[in-house]
Amino acid sequence: METITLLQPDDWHAHLRDGSALKRTVPDLAKQFARAICMPNLVPPVKTVDEALAYRERILAHVPQGLHFDPRMVLYFTDQTSPDEVAKIHASDYVNAIKLYPAGATTNSDNGVSDIRKVYAVIEQLEEYQVPLLLHGEVTHQHIDIFDREKRFLDEVLTPLLRQFPKLKLVLEHITTSEAATFVLEYDRNVAATITPQHLLFNRNDLLVGGVKPHFYCLPILKRQSHQQTLLEVATSGNPKFFLGTDSAPHARHAKENACGCAGCYSAPTAIELYAQAFDQVGKIERLEGFASHFGADFYGLPRNENSITLVKEDQVIPTALDYLDGEQIIPLYAGQTIAWRKV
């Protein structure tokens, strides 16, 4: 297939940051997607509906003229989150979910939940109002191998949680393992997952062989090729429990290329083409529209988009660097490499 037209996709997991970073991140994302779930791990974090709506206005101020982009907002779950905030989310036109970061799991997660049992009163309200809980699914204990942290989270945190709250509407974000894929498949439609382009296109060999590649470093970390293969299988299966979430995360080059490099891949400018590359490599390009444009909207109870985009099978070289902040640069995912699809 040389050309494919699909409903304009949505990104159900994206990091835009705040302040002057929005000059870069918002146009990049808005040129690709009609909507995006905008992560709340700012400094300070977005903890209330009022704060989320204020953040949304700051995002909208940077949408390029002529583009329609609808930021969907999320609250940052802390040990102090009030159960009353859930009803406010449910009543909001623009706030769709709450995001749980285990404390210390990833960038700007220090204010995250220290023990999920402490917030069961809030989760009870989430289940009642059917407000989605978005989860960064890793344990954070230092003695647990970084490659095992997702599986341990499934066993030690998520299984007991769903036993306690079986109707909880839940998205396991950026899954990276075959165990996570199997876990999602075993539950009802109230449990879903997002998958990133980097976890479909790459594995830990790409990160580690021949020297550490800091721009492939993300959390959860890239796993074995066998896990990558399973993610490709479920993403391209047409199962509506799996949908697009880039986890695109901007970090300045100097913050990635140092001994304490930040975790995150910046894929926003060419995200849909990267997904097309992954789907096409396994001969399933015709399944891209469901994954990118249908299933996430259906899960969140939002209408599917009406506008369409077209991708052509034409080589595209991803830029080696992009301008960011004042004189800084971002190195995008797959920088300097050629991919086989282009959005027109």
Side-chain angles (χ1 to χ4, degrees):
M1 186 180 295
E2 301 301 316
T3 302
I4 181 171
T5 298
L6 55 151
L7 289 181
Q8 188 173 12
D10 301 305
D11 185 349
W12 299 105
H13 185 129
H15 296 270
L16 293 168
R17 309 301 187 216
D18 205 356
S20 59
L22 298 176
K23 297 175 185 178
R24 170 87 258 167
T25 60
V26 174
D28 283 348
L29 205 65
K31 290 172 185 176
Q32 290 260 316
F33 299 105
R35 291 173 291 211
I37 285 282
C38 303
M39 288 294 113
N41 58 331
L42 308 182
V43 181
V46 177
K47 295 186 287 188
T48 68
V49 167
D50 288 344
E51 290 171 358
L53 295 176
Y55 181 34
R56 185 174 189 270
E57 291 303 312
R58 298 197 296 275
I59 293 169
L60 288 171
H62 293 278
V63 176
Q65 189 172 3
L67 288 181
H68 175 75
F69 180 65
D70 180 13
R72 311 305 303 185
M73 310 312 294
V74 182
L75 303 193
Y76 187 113
F77 208 158
T78 75
D79 288 347
Q80 290 76 41
T81 297
S82 169
D84 296 338
E85 204 68 33
V86 178
K88 296 177 184 177
I89 297 173
H90 180 70
S92 173
D93 291 332
Y94 301 113
V95 184
N96 290 93
I98 190 165
K99 175 65 181 282
L100 191 154
Y101 294 97
T106 188
T107 304
N108 299 340
S109 64
D110 293 344
N111 293 291
V113 171
S114 61
D115 183 337
I116 200 165
R117 292 168 295 185
K118 292 182 178 180
V119 294
Y120 270 10
V122 180
I123 294 173
E124 183 178 1
Q125 293 298 298
L126 293 173
E127 185 182 45
E128 178 177 338
Y129 282 100
Q130 287 293 283
V131 169
L133 173 64
L134 316 184
L135 282 165
H136 182 112
E138 292 186 290
V139 297
T140 57
H141 312 302
Q142 291 300 311
H143 66 279
I144 296 176
D145 190 294
I146 193 170
F147 292 102
D148 296 333
R149 291 181 179 186
E150 184 172 271
K151 184 181 186 306
R152 292 287 291 269
F153 185 89
L154 299 175
D155 296 341
E156 298 172 11
V157 179
L158 205 47
T159 296
L161 179 69
L162 287 169
R163 191 178 298 126
Q164 182 82 12
F165 304 100
K167 300 300 182 184
L168 181 65
K169 198 167 187 177
L170 182 148
V171 181
L172 189 57
E173 301 278 18
H174 43 50
I175 62 170
T176 66
T177 59
S178 56
E179 290 88 355
T182 300
F183 184 94
V184 172
L185 289 169
E186 289 176 345
Y187 281 85
D188 292 335
R189 286 286 294 273
N190 59 304
V191 177
T194 57
I195 307 178
T196 76
Q198 61 263 29
H199 290 104
L200 294 177
L201 288 167
F202 310 111
N203 58 64
R204 66 188 191 181
N205 278 356
D206 298 291
L207 172 67
L208 298 171
V209 171
V212 177
K213 319 296 193 307
H215 299 287
F216 282 128
Y217 175 55
C218 58
L219 290 172
I221 200 166
L222 296 173
K223 304 297 196 299
R224 291 181 181 272
Q225 185 178 23
S226 58
H227 294 297
Q228 177 194 6
Q229 184 59 40
T230 299
L231 296 183
L232 280 165
E233 289 170 3
V234 296
T236 63
S237 67
N239 189 314
K241 292 165 71 70
F242 302 94
F243 44 85
L244 186 156
T246 63
D247 195 21
S248 180
H251 294 285
R253 180 173 189 163
H254 77 270
K256 292 284 289 179
E257 296 177 1
N258 69 57
C260 299
C262 296
C265 300
Y266 192 64
S267 59
T270 53
I272 194 62
E273 294 101 318
L274 290 165
Y275 281 109
Q277 178 100 350
F279 275 61
D280 193 28
Q281 285 177 355
V282 294
K284 296 288 183 63
I285 191 69
E286 74 280 359
R287 299 277 179 83
L288 179 61
E289 185 176 44
F291 176 83
S293 311
H294 296 172
F295 303 151
D298 296 347
F299 180 86
Y300 279 94
L302 295 169
R304 295 178 181 180
N305 298 317
E306 297 180 357
N307 294 335
S308 297
I309 66 166
T310 298
L311 303 173
V312 296
K313 196 163 188 179
E314 178 180 300
D315 284 352
Q316 174 183 185
V317 179
I318 294 180
T320 56
L322 302 167
D323 292 336
Y324 183 57
L325 301 177
D326 297 323
E328 300 282 2
Q329 289 184 322
I330 293 177
I331 307 302
L333 185 64
Y334 222 27
Q337 302 299 306
T338 300
I339 58 174
W341 289 87
R342 180 187 298 275
K343 178 177 175 285
V344 294

